[in-house]
Amino acid sequence: MELKRVVVTGLGALTPLGNDVATTWDAMLNGVSGAGPITRFDASKFKTQFACELKGFDVSQYIDRKEARKMDPYAQYAMVVADQAVKDSGLDLEKEDMSRVGVIWGSGIGGLVTFQQEVSSYAEGGKNPRFNPFFIPKMIADIAAGHISIKYGMMGPNYTSVAACASSAVAMVDAYNYIRLGKASVIVTGGSEAPLAEAGLGGFNSLQALSTRNDDPATASRPFDKDRDGFVMAEGAGCIILEELEHAKARGAKIYAEFIGGGLSADAHHMTAPHPEGAGAALVMRNTLEDAGIAPEEVDAINMHGTSTPLGDIAEVKAVQEVFGEHTYNININSTKSMTGHLLGAAGAVEALSIILSIQNDIVPPTINHFTDDEHFDPRINFTFGKAQKRKVNVAMSNTFGFGGHNACVLFKKYEE
């Protein structure tokens, strides 16, 4: 069968850099760090006392207070970015066949804040424990997709992918496949995460996964730097409207970029550590290039998973060099996590949004917080350190890897008729 072409027609963002797409993108281009001391709760007893929180976000500005109380923050974030993206797309839902409009979302954890609140309340409840009747529907990781579909009446494919930090990238790949196979016309996809609770911070601290640079949070996320010491946890969401090309053209939609390839793989190696040679990462990039039918030499930019962990960054760079060979030195490699922190299950969506805007604007955001070269990395590699770099960006890739060895990769191209 002939596969349909898939394009991006709407974007939404809620990140530690800004509460919409334009603010987030401007901050990325200017190398702004979203990290700072945690204000959500008292973090003084933890090894890590900072994170990348949302700034000035008031859910009541977006969602009726009564409805917001029925949602965990991760679902609230999803609703906000979905609304932004739907409006940005210009879709007139009253004219759509809603059986062909779906929602495929991603979240690595789901309602962690709700879970902690309810269990803490139970532990303090004495002989008559009480649970909020919305405890379960607020907590479950699939509910964000459900809320979005209910709000808009979207009756097409509807579910949430859970693949740790690869969750929203897996969701985007699935959405892409549903549309190109002709099983949907429009899919709202992306991901959201709200991990900033004592349990989330303490859990990642116990894994020794987080930076402990409490004296200088703004420089703590330093991908590819010799002195990197872990990632910086973040919260937020990203949303992308994917649409079948002919459907988008028929309604005169603006098109940001074309989605040309997606791939999945597994490390099959370790519960939390990457394969030391980047075997799964190399495989997922190869799968993506093969899916798109393009050569490695056509890729101009890669937004790396680049979490700022000692082992992860090394493994990913090895994988890139294996797949791209000498062309590695012609690619602008960057990690926007140096600015946003790590949004866990929402990372793939926010980072895909970044490469879509790079394609549209022919500029690559920087990797900030580079102070000392790491001898593990070939000095000929362009990590886009320090400042955004203007260049022609025709094809761009984004990598996401998650605990359990889950790998996902997406590839976008400048749209041409």
Side-chain angles (χ1 to χ4, degrees), residues 1 37 63 92 146 150 165 201-202 236 245 258 261 269 276 308 372 386 417:
M1 66 177 292
I63 305 172
D92 184 347
I150 291 166
C165 300
L201 185 64
L245 174 60
E258 183 172 1
H269 170 68
S308 183
T372 307
E417 289 282 354

Side-chain angles (χ1 to χ4, degrees), residues 119 131 223-224 268 284 288 304 318 323 409:
V119 171
F131 285 90
F224 318 118
V284 79
T288 303
M304 303 280 271
K318 283 182 179 179
V323 172
C409 181

Side-chain angles (χ1 to χ4, degrees), residues 32-115:
V32 175
S33 170
I38 290 172
T39 63
R40 200 68 47 78
F41 56 88
D42 180 8
S44 61
K45 57 190 173 184
F46 293 93
K47 293 178 182 177
T48 298
Q49 298 166 11
F50 60 93
C52 288
E53 296 180 327
L54 299 180
K55 315 292 191 296
F57 175 73
D58 179 0
V59 69
S60 67
Q61 295 179 5
Y62 305 91
I63 305 172
D64 175 77
R65 191 176 299 276
K66 183 177 179 181
E67 290 302 307
R69 290 178 62 190
K70 300 175 185 178
M71 302 177 194
D72 183 85
Y74 102 95
Q76 296 172 0
Y77 302 164
M79 295 294 282
V80 170
V81 295
D83 186 61
Q84 290 178 9
V86 169
K87 288 177 179 175
D88 183 47
S89 73
L91 280 163
D92 184 347
L93 297 178
E94 291 186 1
K95 296 180 179 179
E96 294 294 330
D97 175 357
M98 298 302 275
S99 70
R100 294 187 56 80
V101 181
V103 184
I104 302 179
W105 207 246
S107 186
I109 301 175
L112 181 63
V113 172
T114 294
F115 188 86

Side-chain angles (χ1 to χ4, degrees), residues 28-32 221-225 302-304 306-308 313 332-339 364-371 382-389:
M28 282 184 178
L29 294 183
N30 285 287
V32 175
S221 183
R222 46 180 75 185
F224 318 118
D225 186 86
I302 304 174
N303 195 343
M304 303 280 271
T307 58
S308 183
D313 289 5
N332 267 83
I333 287 169
N334 73 332
S335 173
T336 50
K337 287 187 181 74
S338 61
M339 298 174 281
V364 179
T367 304
I368 67 169
N369 297 332
H370 177 69
F371 303 98
N382 181 4
F383 288 107
T384 323
F385 285 135
K387 293 183 179 181
Q389 294 180 14

Side-chain angles (χ1 to χ4, degrees), residues 6-253:
V6 181
V7 293
V8 178
T9 59
L11 302 174
L14 182 61
T15 78
L17 302 182
N19 295 342
D20 54 40
V21 172
T23 310
T24 295
W25 179 239
D26 183 68
M28 282 184 178
L29 294 183
N30 285 287
V32 175
S33 170
I38 290 172
T39 63
R40 200 68 47 78
F41 56 88
D42 180 8
S44 61
K45 57 190 173 184
F46 293 93
K47 293 178 182 177
T48 298
Q49 298 166 11
F50 60 93
C52 288
E53 296 180 327
L54 299 180
K55 315 292 191 296
F57 175 73
D58 179 0
V59 69
S60 67
Q61 295 179 5
Y62 305 91
I63 305 172
D64 175 77
R65 191 176 299 276
K66 183 177 179 181
E67 290 302 307
R69 290 178 62 190
K70 300 175 185 178
M71 302 177 194
D72 183 85
Y74 102 95
Q76 296 172 0
Y77 302 164
M79 295 294 282
V80 170
V81 295
D83 186 61
Q84 290 178 9
V86 169
K87 288 177 179 175
D88 183 47
S89 73
L91 280 163
D92 184 347
L93 297 178
E94 291 186 1
K95 296 180 179 179
E96 294 294 330
D97 175 357
M98 298 302 275
S99 70
R100 294 187 56 80
V101 181
V103 184
I104 302 179
W105 207 246
S107 186
I109 301 175
L112 181 63
V113 172
T114 294
F115 188 86
Q116 175 168 310
Q117 289 173 344
E118 291 296 314
V119 171
S120 296
S121 178
Y122 169 74
E124 298 166 1
K127 295 181 179 180
N128 298 301
R130 296 180 63 184
F131 285 90
N132 187 311
F134 293 104
F135 172 32
I136 299 302
K138 285 175 69 174
M139 178 196 70
I140 51 180
D142 69 295
I143 204 67
H147 280 303
I148 295 168
S149 70
I150 291 166
K151 176 177 178 178
Y152 297 105
M154 297 170 174
M155 299 178 69
N158 186 277
Y159 62 91
T160 294
S161 61
V162 179
C165 300
S167 295
S168 55
V170 172
M172 290 186 291
V173 172
D174 284 1
Y176 167 61
N177 285 328
Y178 270 102
I179 295 172
R180 67 173 175 166
L181 289 170
K183 297 182 181 296
S185 300
V186 180
I187 294 185
V188 178
T189 188
S192 56
E193 205 78 270
L196 297 184
E198 290 93 331
L201 185 64
F204 280 112
N205 262 160
S206 68
L207 282 171
Q208 299 183 3
L210 300 180
S211 170
T212 56
R213 206 176 296 276
N214 294 309
D215 58 332
D216 194 5
T219 69
S221 183
R222 46 180 75 185
F224 318 118
D225 186 86
K226 182 176 181 178
D227 297 322
R228 64 192 179 277
D229 70 330
F231 72 81
V232 179
M233 192 158 55
E235 61 178 350
C239 184
I240 295 171
I241 305 297
L242 293 182
E243 192 167 346
E244 192 270 319
L245 174 60
E246 295 305 318
H247 183 278
K249 288 168 64 176
R251 67 180 188 84

Side-chain angles (χ1 to χ4, degrees), residues 254-333:
K254 71 176 180 297
I255 295 174
Y256 284 97
E258 183 172 1
F259 196 148
I260 61 169
L264 308 174
S265 78
D267 277 3
H269 170 68
H270 188 271
M271 185 167 60
T272 56
H275 189 286
E277 299 303 315
L283 177 60
V284 79
M285 286 186 278
R286 286 200 182 98
N287 288 346
T288 303
L289 293 169
E290 181 180 353
D291 186 53
I294 71 166
E297 292 73 26
E298 296 180 69
V299 175
D300 301 304
I302 304 174
N303 195 343
M304 303 280 271
H305 187 56
T307 58
S308 183
T309 59
L311 298 179
D313 289 5
I314 292 173
E316 187 175 10
V317 172
K318 283 182 179 179
V320 168
Q321 290 181 285
E322 180 182 333
V323 172
F324 293 94
E326 286 296 311
H327 182 62
T328 300
Y329 311 121
N330 301 320
I331 299 172
N332 267 83
I333 287 169

